[in-house]
Amino acid sequence: MTTSTPSADDHGSLLRDYVDATEQFKAANEVLAALGRSTSDPEAVLHTVMESARRLCGSQAAQVYLIEGSAFRLASSVGLSEEFVRYLTDFPLKLDRGSLVGRAALERRIHKVRDVVTDTDYARWDLQEMGGIRSLMSAPMLLDDEVVGALSVYRTEVNPFDEREEALLAGFAAQAAVVVRNVHLLRALENRGAELARRVEQMEALSEVGQSVGSSLVLDEVLSDIIKNAVRFAGCDGGSIMEYVEKERCFSVRSAYASSPELLARLRTIRIEVETTLVGRAAREGHPVAVPDLSAVDLDPHLQLLYDDGWRSVMAVPVLRGDSIIGALVVRRRSPGAFSEETADFLETFASQSAIAVYNAQLFRELQQKSAELEVMSQHKSEFLASMSHELRTPLNAVIGFSEVLLERLVGDLNERQDEYLRDIWNSGKHLLALLNEILDLSKVEAGRMEVEFSTFSVPAAIEHAVSMVRERAARHSITVNQSVAPSVDELTSDELRIRQVLVNLLSNAVKFTPNGGRVDVLAEPVGAELVITVRDTGHGIVPEDRERIFESFQQGRRGAPKEEGTGLGLTLCRRIVTLLGGRIWLESEVGRGSAFHVAVPLDARPVEAVGPPDADTPKGRRPVVVIIDDDRASLDLLTAYLTGTGLQVVRARDGRQGLAEIRRLHPAAVVLDIRLPGMDGWEVLEALQTDRATREIPVIIVSILEEKARGLAAGAAAYLTKPVSREALTAALSTFVLPTVEDTTTSLPFATPGFAGVTSSQD
C-alpha cells in the first residue's frame, strides 16, 4: 500500500479555500448583524451587503437596482463616483436586454459577461465608457417569486467571474432582497401608522362634533365647533358655515373660524345667492366644489370678498338633509393649491353633522314653540271650562231643584204623563251635571291643577262607601254585590276622595253592564308594596280590540246592548287619577264571562309632581317606571321632555354604574340607554342586564349617537335608535314593549292621551 504526499500546489489551494471561507464567514456575520438592525437603518444594511459583495467578488463596484415601472432605480451603490450616480439617476437602466441587469431580471437568473466590449447585445456604452466596465455580472433579487430588482458587480479589466463568485453574488442578492422587503414593510408600516394617526384624529374630531351635535341644542355653539374642527383637519387657514334661507334663496353666514371680525361683518351683509355663487353651485349639485386659485377664475360677490381679504383657495361643501338644502360649509386657504379627494370626503362628513345640528336645533325650537302654544291653549281651555262651570251650574241647579219640587208634589198633584216628563228632565239634568263634573275633573288633571290631599284612611270603610252608592241600583236589577278585604289590609296613605271616586266609577260601570241576576265582586289585597283593588263582574265582557279604547275619552266599548246613559269619560278619568296617585289600572276580560278592572296604588304614597321641570324632585318607586341613562344633561332633559304626558315616571342616571343600580332597585318597565357613558359604558350595562336573570327580561331601548344597530340588537337590546331621535320614535319604541297586550295587562301606559310623569334624578 502506497500513500501520496500533498504537493505544494495542493497546500496552496487548501489555504486559499480556507481564506475564502473565512472571508465569506466574516461577511455573512456582518450582513446578519446588519439585518438585525435593519428596521432602524435599512440603507446601512444594503451598504453592508454591497460592500461584502464587492470585496468577496473582487470587483471595483457593486450596485442595487430596484424595478419601478419599466425601468430600474439605483437604490444604493459602492465604488461609483458621484458623477456616475447622478448620471444613472438622470438616465436609468431600462427593463430590457440592453443591460445585464435587465437580462437578469427578465430571465430570473444570473448573467455574466467576460467582456462587455465584445457583447453584441449590450447597449449602455455610455455607462461602459464612464465607469470603464469590462467584466460584468448581475443577479436577480426575488421576493415571493417576484423580481423586485438586481444586484450587479463589475471589474474594470477583463477578468471573468468564476462559479464561486457567482454563488456568492446569488447569496448576496437574496440578502439584499430581504433588506428591500424590510424597507417596504417599514415604509408601509410608517405610512399606515401615519394614516391611522390621521384617521384617529379625524374620528376624534367627528366624535367630538357628533357628541356636541347629539346633545347640545344651542345651534351657534355646535356650528362653531364644527367649523373649527373642519378647518383644522382639512389643513386650511379659515372657514365659515352658512344656513340656507329658503324664502330668500340665499345663504346666511352663521359662524366663522380664523376670520377677522371685519370679514365676518362683511360676509353677513352680502347676498350669497343659490343660483349665482360657488356656494350655491355646490348646494345645487350636491357635492363639494373647489377653486384651487381664486386669481384664475371669475369671482362672485362672496369669492370677491374673500379674495380682497387675502384668501386664495376655497372649497364649498353643501349641507343637505335628504334633498333639502340646509346650508353650506366653506373652508379656505391663504395660498393657492388643490384640495385632495380625502379632504372633500372628510368635509362632507362634517357637513352631514352640521345638518343634524341644524335639525336638532330646529326640532328643539319647534318643541319649545309647541309647548308654549299648548300651555296657552291649556290655560284658555281651563278658563273656558271654569267660566262654563259657573254659567251652566246656575241654570242646572234650577232645573234639577224645581224638578224635585214638582216631583215631590210640593205645589200640587201631577198626572202620570207630567210625572214621566219631569223625571226625564230631572235625570237629564243630573246626567248633564255629572258630565260637566267629569269634564272639569279631567281638565284639572290634564292641566296639572287637580289637587290631591294625602291622608291615612280605612280601606274597608272606603270600599263600603263605594258599594253603598251602587247597592240600590244593583238591587233593582237583582245584582249581588259582594266585597272582600284581606285581613292584613287596614289603612292606606293616599287621597281618600279620589280613591272613592275611582271605586264608585268602576262599580257603577260594573252594575250598569251586568245583566239582571248577575254578580259584582270587590276584592282588596296587598301585593308587595301596593294595594290591589279588583272590581269583577259577570257581564258580557269586552272584545280584545276595545280593551284599550274604553280608556279613551267618550268611549264605552261594545259591552252588550247599547246604553244611553254614561259620559264615556269615567274610565279615562279613573286612569288619570290613578296615575296621578302613582298607581296603575288595567283590565282583564273574557267575552261572555265578564270583566275585571284592577287598580294598584302604593300602600304609602306621596304626592307626585304633575307638571314641573325635568329636574323636579319627585319620588321614586312609581310604576310604570322608565330609567334613562345618559351622561349628557341636555340629552336627559330632551328625553325626559319627550316622555312628559305619557303617564310614565322617569328615573334618570348619568353614568352606567348608577343606572345599573337604579334598574336593579326599581325593576323598571323599560330602560333607555346611551352607549357612550363614563366609567361603565352602555355595552357593559347591557351585558350586565342580560346576564342577570332578574333583569334580562327588561326591555332596553338604546338611544345613541353610534350607528351600531346590528351590534345592539345582537347584544340583547329590544330596539336601537340613533340620535337625534324624535319624540314619536321614542314613544313608539316604548309603546311596543311597555303597552299592555291581551296576554299581559298588568301595566297601563296611556300614550294616546295626556297624563303626568314623575321625574327622579339619580345623579343630576
Side-chain angles (χ1 to χ4, degrees):
M1 180 177 179
T2 60
T3 58
S4 60
T5 302
S7 65
D9 291 338
D10 292 336
H11 280 292
S13 177
L14 290 172
L15 183 59
R16 283 194 301 274
D17 290 343
Y18 173 76
V19 172
D20 289 343
T22 301
E23 286 294 320
Q24 292 175 23
F25 181 74
K26 179 180 178 183
N29 279 341
E30 291 175 352
V31 172
L32 288 174
L35 283 173
R37 60 178 184 272
S38 62
T39 56
S40 60
D41 192 1
E43 298 295 335
V45 182
L46 271 183
H47 184 82
T48 301
V49 171
M50 287 185 297
E51 184 60 44
S52 298
R54 183 190 65 78
R55 187 176 74 252
L56 294 183
C57 291
S59 63
Q60 275 71 47
Q63 311 96 48
V64 169
Y65 297 92
L66 299 180
I67 297 176
E68 292 186 354
S70 60
F72 291 93
R73 175 177 65 85
L74 181 63
S76 188
S77 66
V78 292
L80 297 183
S81 65
E82 292 183 3
E83 180 185 3
F84 199 165
V85 171
R86 285 196 299 271
Y87 189 81
L88 272 173
T89 302
D90 295 336
F91 303 98
L93 295 172
K94 294 181 180 179
L95 186 57
D96 57 23
R97 297 187 59 81
S99 67
L100 215 62
V101 169
R103 293 177 216 172
L106 291 172
E107 298 182 13
R108 304 166 66 88
R109 64 182 180 86
I110 294 179
H111 271 259
K112 296 187 294 184
V113 174
R114 182 177 184 277
D115 187 357
V116 296
V117 175
T118 61
D119 187 347
T120 56
D121 290 333
Y122 190 75
R124 291 303 300 264
W125 298 108
D126 52 344
L127 299 179
Q128 191 276 329
E129 292 178 1
M130 183 175 293
I133 303 171
R134 300 301 295 269
S135 295
L136 182 61
M137 179 169 60
S138 298
M141 293 164 51
L142 297 173
L143 276 180
D144 297 329
D145 203 34
E146 178 185 357
V147 179
V148 297
L151 176 58
S152 183
V153 293
Y154 72 82
R155 293 171 177 157
T156 56
E157 58 184 18
V158 179
N159 182 11
F161 295 95
D162 58 24
E163 293 181 358
R164 181 185 64 82
E165 292 162 340
E166 180 180 339
L168 285 171
L169 190 65
F172 286 124
Q175 293 170 347
V178 172
V179 177
V180 170
R181 176 195 291 276
N182 288 348
V183 171
H184 287 173
L185 291 176
L186 181 61
R187 288 177 179 170
L189 183 62
E190 290 175 347
N191 293 337
R192 184 60 175 165
E195 174 69 15
L196 286 174
R198 186 166 61 255
R199 291 291 184 185
V200 167
E201 288 182 351
Q202 292 179 352
M203 290 305 296
E204 288 177 348
L206 287 173
S207 175
E208 178 184 341
V209 172
Q211 187 174 9
S212 175
V213 167
S215 58
S216 177
L217 298 172
V218 182
L219 180 59
D220 287 338
E221 290 182 5
V222 176
L223 296 184
S224 176
D225 192 34
I226 289 173
I227 191 60
K228 177 182 69 175
N229 283 282
V231 168
R232 188 174 109 198
F233 287 99
C236 296
D237 303 314
S240 57
I241 194 163
M242 306 176 181
E243 186 176 8
Y244 182 60
V245 183
E246 177 69 33
K247 293 181 179 179
E248 300 181 12
R249 295 190 61 77
C250 67
F251 294 85
S252 171
V253 176
R254 291 297 302 265
S255 182
Y257 178 71
S259 302
S260 65
E262 293 78 16
L263 175 61
L264 182 58
R266 289 196 296 270
L267 285 172
R268 288 175 171 170
T269 59
I270 63 172
R271 284 184 59 84
I272 306 175
E273 298 179 347
V274 70
E275 289 87 2
T276 59
T277 62
L278 177 79
V279 173
R281 176 188 162 195
R284 295 195 313 273
E285 297 179 0
H287 61 78
V289 177
V291 177
D293 189 352
L294 289 176
S295 64
V297 298
D298 294 332
L299 302 178
D300 61 50
H302 171 237
L303 297 182
Q304 184 66 57
L305 193 58
L306 296 180
Y307 185 82
D308 293 342
D309 198 60
W311 303 94
R312 291 299 176 262
S313 55
V314 170
M315 174 180 281
V317 184
V319 177
L320 307 173
R321 183 172 178 80
D323 296 330
S324 302
I325 302 173
I326 302 296
L329 188 153
V330 179
V331 294
R332 49 189 186 264
R333 298 177 181 144
R334 292 288 184 183
S335 58
F339 294 83
S340 68
E341 184 176 347
E342 179 186 358
T343 298
D345 293 341
F346 182 65
L347 290 177
E348 278 193 291
T349 304
F350 265 84
S352 66
Q353 298 281 28
S354 305
I356 297 173
V358 174
Y359 177 75
N360 268 358
Q362 290 174 345
L363 184 65
F364 185 65
R365 285 199 298 263
E366 290 176 5
L367 180 63
Q368 288 180 316
Q369 292 172 356
K370 293 296 182 184
S371 298
E373 292 172 3
L374 288 173
E375 186 176 350
V376 172
M377 291 175 62
S378 177
Q379 181 179 355
H380 289 169
K381 181 184 71 173
S382 299
E383 291 173 354
F384 167 74
L385 290 175
S387 174
M388 184 182 71
S389 171
H390 175 74
E391 296 298 328
L392 292 181
R393 283 178 184 276
T394 300
L396 274 177
N397 181 62
V399 169
I400 295 171
F402 285 123
S403 297
E404 290 176 346
V405 168
L406 293 174
L407 287 171
E408 292 177 5
R409 276 51 172 193
L410 296 180
V411 293
D413 290 335
L414 301 172
N415 60 39
E416 184 176 345
R417 178 163 295 185
Q418 289 172 333
D419 185 276
E420 180 184 353
Y421 288 169
L422 277 172
R423 290 192 183 278
D424 287 343
I425 293 172
W426 183 81
N427 286 329
S428 296
K430 295 288 285 186
H431 177 68
L432 185 58
L433 181 60
L435 175 62
L436 178 61
N437 288 335
E438 289 185 345
I439 289 176
L440 288 172
D441 280 347
L442 189 60
S443 174
K444 289 178 182 178
V445 175
E446 291 178 349
R449 295 177 181 175
M450 174 172 277
E451 296 180 0
V452 289
E453 296 181 3
F454 285 83
S455 63
T456 301
F457 59 92
S458 169
V459 174
I463 293 177
E464 174 60 34
H465 173 270
V467 170
S468 68
M469 299 295 291
V470 300
R471 186 172 283 126
E472 181 181 352
R473 177 175 180 173
R476 290 201 304 266
H477 296 278
S478 301
I479 298 173
T480 303
V481 180
N482 299 315
Q483 61 191 77
S484 175
V485 180
S488 59
V489 174
D490 184 13
E491 294 183 336
L492 174 69
T493 300
S494 190
D495 188 317
E496 182 178 7
L497 177 62
R498 298 306 174 188
I499 291 292
R500 288 186 178 187
Q501 184 178 356
V502 170
L503 290 177
V504 169
N505 200 304
L506 294 178
L507 283 167
S508 297
N509 281 348
V511 170
K512 180 166 57 178
F513 292 105
T514 297
N516 293 349
R519 174 173 173 167
V520 174
D521 295 316
V522 186
L523 304 96
E525 58 181 345
V527 178
E530 294 176 317
L531 172 67
V532 178
I533 303 175
T534 300
V535 176
R536 181 177 288 110
D537 63 60
T538 58
H540 298 284
I542 302 171
V543 295
E545 55 267 30
D546 283 348
R547 291 175 189 172
E548 182 61 28
R549 191 170 67 90
I550 62 172
F551 287 99
E552 298 175 8
S553 300
F554 306 104
Q555 301 292 332
Q556 290 187 342
R558 289 160 283 186
R559 290 187 274 180
K563 303 285 183 177
E564 293 183 1
E565 59 180 308
T567 64
L569 290 174
L571 288 177
T572 304
L573 187 58
C574 285
R575 170 175 274 182
R576 307 295 175 79
I577 291 174
V578 171
T579 302
L580 184 62
L581 297 177
R584 52 203 172 92
I585 183 171
W586 69 96
L587 165 67
E588 292 177 345
S589 184
E590 184 176 349
V591 176
R593 301 196 64 179
S595 304
F597 286 85
H598 305 277
V599 174
V601 291
L603 284 169
D604 187 6
R606 291 292 183 269
V608 179
E609 285 288 338
V611 176
D615 288 332
D617 185 15
T618 56
K620 304 178 183 178
R622 303 292 178 235
R623 296 189 64 186
V625 173
V626 171
V627 174
I628 300 178
I629 309 174
D630 198 312
D631 66 321
D632 182 74
R633 179 182 291 275
S635 292
L636 279 173
D637 290 350
L638 185 61
L639 294 174
T640 304
Y642 280 171
L643 297 183
T644 298
T646 61
L648 291 168
Q649 181 191 350
V650 175
V651 174
R652 302 161 21 137
R654 295 186 66 180
D655 66 68
R657 298 188 187 280
Q658 184 67 28
L660 189 59
E662 291 291 350
I663 294 169
R664 288 170 173 164
R665 183 177 69 85
L666 298 172
H667 202 81
V671 174
V672 178
L673 175 65
D674 189 19
I675 293 299
R676 300 183 60 178
L677 299 171
M680 187 180 194
D681 66 18
W683 298 123
E684 295 175 293
V685 173
L686 182 58
E687 181 181 4
L689 294 176
Q690 289 295 303
T691 55
D692 188 341
R693 182 177 300 177
T695 58
R696 70 175 55 157
E697 298 301 324
I698 298 174
V700 177
I701 292 91
I702 293 177
V703 178
S704 173
I705 193 173
L706 301 177
E707 296 183 1
E708 297 191 39
K709 182 175 181 180
R711 178 182 176 185
L713 297 180
Y720 195 106
L721 304 176
T722 303
K723 292 180 180 179
V725 62
S726 66
R727 181 182 187 274
E728 290 77 13
L730 180 61
T731 55
L734 282 170
S735 66
T736 300
F737 302 103
V738 182
L739 274 175
T741 62
V742 175
E743 294 76 16
D744 180 11
T745 56
T746 60
T747 303
S748 178
L749 297 181
F751 282 103
T753 53
F756 301 99
V759 181
T760 303
S761 175
S762 295
Q763 262 195 354
D764 280 355

